[in-house]
Amino acid sequence: MTGSGTAATAGSSAERTVAAVWRIESAKIVATLTRYTGDFGLAEDLAQDALLEALSHWPRDGVPANPAAWLTAVGKRRAIDGWRRRERYDERLAGIAHDAQREQDASLDAEPWDPDAIDDDVLRLVFIACHPVLSREARVALTLRVVGGLSSEQIARAFLVPTATVQQRIVRAKKTLAAAKAPFEVPPREEFAQRLGGVLSVLYLVFNEAHAATAGEDLLRPDLGREAIRLARVLAALVPQEPDVHALLALLELTAARFPARTDANGDPILLADQDRGLWDRGRIARGRAALARADSFGRGRGAYALQAAIAECHAVAGSVEETDWDRIVLLYEALGRIAPSPVVELNRAAAVAMATGPASALRIIDALVADGSLRGYHLLPATRGELLLRLGRSEEARSEFVTAAALAGNDRERALLEQKARG
C-alpha cells in the first residue's frame, strides 16, 4: 500500500472512531462541559469544536487511549481560551485552569470511561434538552442531538425535514435556554414529576415516529426506534426508582419487537393477523416484560405507559390473533381511557372491542367519534370504520371510507394499502 493509501486508511479509521466515541460519550462530554462553563449552548459548541480538532489530529497522531477524556479536555481548553480572549480571566478561571491542563496532560494515560457509569450531569443534560420553555420540535431535536449524539443531518432524515430546519431549531433552542437562564440542574422535588413527564413524552414522540412514520416512503424507521429505546434505557439507569420510566421502556421494547414482521421485503405493511410471529424479536419481548415487571414492583399502580405496555404484552405472548386475550385488552384500554382520556385511545378501544365482541358494537364507538369531530382529518378513523363496515358486509360504504382515509394518509405505504382496499 502506498503512503497516501495508508494515510487514507488511518484517516478513515480515525473518523469512524470519532463517530463511535461521539455516539457513546456525547451526552457525558456535553454534560461535563455544561457544568464546567455554566452555559449549555457554549458547551455544545465546544464539544463540536473538539470533534473537529479530533478529526484533524487523530489521523496524524493516532487515536488517544482515552478519546472521550481527550475530547472533554480539548473542550475545556477552548473554553479557557475563549475566556482569555474576552478578558474574563477572573476568580473562576484561576481556580479551574490548572485542573483543566492537568486533566488534558493525563488524558492519554487515564482509565477509559465506563459507558455504563452514568452520573448526575447526564440527567441534568436530559432535563435541559427537554426544558418546558422549548417547543416540542425543539425538545426532540435537542434531545437527539445532545443526548442521543445524532447529527443534524441524521435528525433531518429521520423526520423528513431539511437539515437547515433542524439546525435552526437547535440554534433557536440554545438561544431560548440562554435567554431563560435555564439552570443546569435536576428540577427540585416539587417539579420533578412534571418535568420527567415532559422528558418521557419526547422519547414517546420519537418512538411513535419510528413506529408509524407520519410521512415519506417508509412505514417504519427502525433506526429512530432503536435510538428512542437507547435513550429510554439511559433514563432508566439515571432514575431507577421511577416506575414510569421502566413502563415506557417496556412499551418501546414490546412494540419494537414486532417491527421485523410488520413489513414485507418491499417495505409494504403486513397487518397483524398476517404477520409471521416467528419473526418477532423474542429478546425485546423478554426485556420489555422484565421492564414492565420492574415498573409494577414499585406498587404504585399502572400509569398510562404501563397500561399501554400491558396491551403490547398481551399481543407479544399470544400465539395468534385468535389466541389473543382481547377481553383483557379492552379492559386495559378502558383503564387507559380513565386515566389518560383521548379520542385516539377510544379509537384503539373500538378496534379491540371489534375483536372481542364483534364489529357492530365497535362501530357505535367509532360513530360517536365521528360525531364528536375531534379526530377529523385523522386517517385511521375512516380506515377503522371501513374495516368494521367491511366485516358487516357493507362493502360500498367501506370503500368510501377507505377512499377518504387514503386521501388523508401522509405516509406513502399506508396510502397505497388504503387505495388497494378502496379498489376492493
Side-chain angles (χ1 to χ4, degrees):
M1 182 179 291
T2 64
S4 59
T6 302
T9 300
S12 177
S13 176
E15 288 179 7
R16 288 194 299 270
T17 301
V18 170
V21 170
W22 182 252
R23 189 79 175 78
I24 296 169
E25 303 287 8
S26 60
K28 285 186 177 181
I29 293 169
V30 175
T32 300
L33 292 173
T34 302
R35 173 170 49 80
Y36 185 76
T37 64
D39 185 330
F40 167 75
L42 174 61
E44 218 268 328
D45 292 340
L46 291 171
Q48 294 292 328
D49 289 345
L51 275 183
L52 293 175
E53 192 160 332
L55 289 171
S56 173
H57 286 266
W58 292 4
R60 183 187 67 230
D61 303 332
V63 177
N66 193 337
W70 189 97
L71 289 168
T72 304
V74 169
K76 289 182 177 181
R77 189 189 69 227
R78 283 182 173 254
I80 291 173
D81 290 344
W83 291 332
R84 282 172 173 159
R85 283 195 299 270
R86 290 190 297 271
E87 297 181 352
R88 291 176 56 190
Y89 196 78
D90 52 14
E91 293 181 4
R92 181 184 188 189
L93 178 59
I96 61 181
H98 177 69
D99 290 340
Q101 187 63 50
R102 184 177 58 190
E103 288 175 12
Q104 182 179 353
D105 293 341
S107 63
L108 292 179
D109 299 323
E111 290 295 322
W113 286 9
D114 179 359
D116 295 323
I118 303 170
D119 56 28
D120 288 344
D121 284 348
V122 178
L123 183 58
R124 297 185 185 103
L125 184 66
V126 171
F127 279 103
I128 280 281
C130 297
H131 199 284
V133 299
L134 302 177
S135 69
R136 185 180 67 172
E137 294 80 8
R139 292 184 204 177
V140 169
L142 208 57
T143 299
L144 292 176
R145 173 67 172 269
V146 302
V147 184
L150 273 64
S151 67
S152 297
E153 291 78 10
Q154 289 171 315
I155 300 169
R157 285 198 300 271
F159 287 92
L160 302 180
V161 297
T163 299
T165 299
V166 172
Q167 291 171 335
Q168 288 167 5
R169 287 175 183 171
I170 291 172
V171 170
R172 192 179 303 116
K174 289 192 284 188
K175 289 181 178 178
T176 300
L177 290 172
K181 299 187 183 301
F184 182 62
E185 63 183 20
V186 175
R189 181 175 297 276
E190 61 271 17
E191 297 179 17
F192 185 85
Q194 180 180 2
R195 289 282 301 279
L196 179 63
V199 173
L200 296 178
S201 69
V202 166
L203 300 186
Y204 184 70
L205 177 64
V206 171
F207 185 83
N208 274 352
E209 185 63 24
H211 173 255
T214 53
E217 297 180 355
D218 297 324
L219 179 70
L220 306 175
R221 295 185 185 150
D223 289 348
L224 196 57
R226 285 191 290 270
E227 182 59 30
I229 291 172
R230 187 182 75 84
L231 293 176
R233 287 177 185 160
V234 169
L235 194 58
L238 289 167
V239 284
Q241 301 304 312
E242 293 293 332
D244 280 350
V245 179
H246 297 287
L248 177 64
L249 178 57
L251 172 60
L252 304 193
E253 290 276 23
L254 289 165
T255 305
R258 304 201 297 268
F259 279 12
R262 285 190 57 207
T263 56
D264 62 18
N266 296 321
D268 293 321
I270 301 176
L271 300 178
L272 180 63
D274 301 322
Q275 289 177 16
D276 179 358
R277 297 185 179 222
L279 296 177
W280 289 5
D281 189 328
R282 297 296 157 184
R284 286 203 184 280
I285 291 173
R287 291 193 296 273
R289 299 188 74 189
L292 181 58
R294 177 72 184 277
D296 287 339
S297 71
F298 293 95
R300 303 180 198 172
R302 286 180 168 175
Y305 294 126
L307 288 170
Q308 291 177 78
I311 293 168
E313 184 182 39
C314 287
H315 290 294
V317 300
S320 66
V321 168
E322 293 74 23
E323 296 173 45
T324 303
D325 191 346
W326 291 106
D327 289 333
R328 176 168 173 74
I329 290 177
V330 170
L331 290 174
L332 289 167
Y333 271 123
E334 288 175 351
L336 181 61
R338 284 192 290 272
I339 68 171
S342 81
V344 173
V345 170
E346 276 295 281
L347 178 61
N348 290 330
R349 183 173 74 88
V353 166
M355 299 302 297
T357 61
S361 53
L363 186 59
R364 288 192 289 273
I365 301 173
I366 294 295
D367 286 343
L369 287 171
V370 172
D372 174 74
S374 55
L375 288 180
R376 186 180 295 110
Y378 186 49
H379 71 287
L380 290 182
L381 180 61
T384 303
R385 191 169 192 274
E387 293 289 351
L388 298 177
L389 291 169
L390 200 60
R391 288 179 58 184
L392 290 168
R394 296 159 60 177
S395 56
E396 286 304 317
E397 292 176 79
R399 187 172 293 111
S400 175
E401 294 291 343
F402 290 136
V403 169
T404 300
L408 294 172
N411 182 275
D412 295 347
R413 301 286 182 173
E414 283 190 298
R415 186 185 308 111
L417 177 62
L418 290 165
E419 288 171 347
Q420 180 181 348
K421 286 179 177 293
R423 291 191 296 269

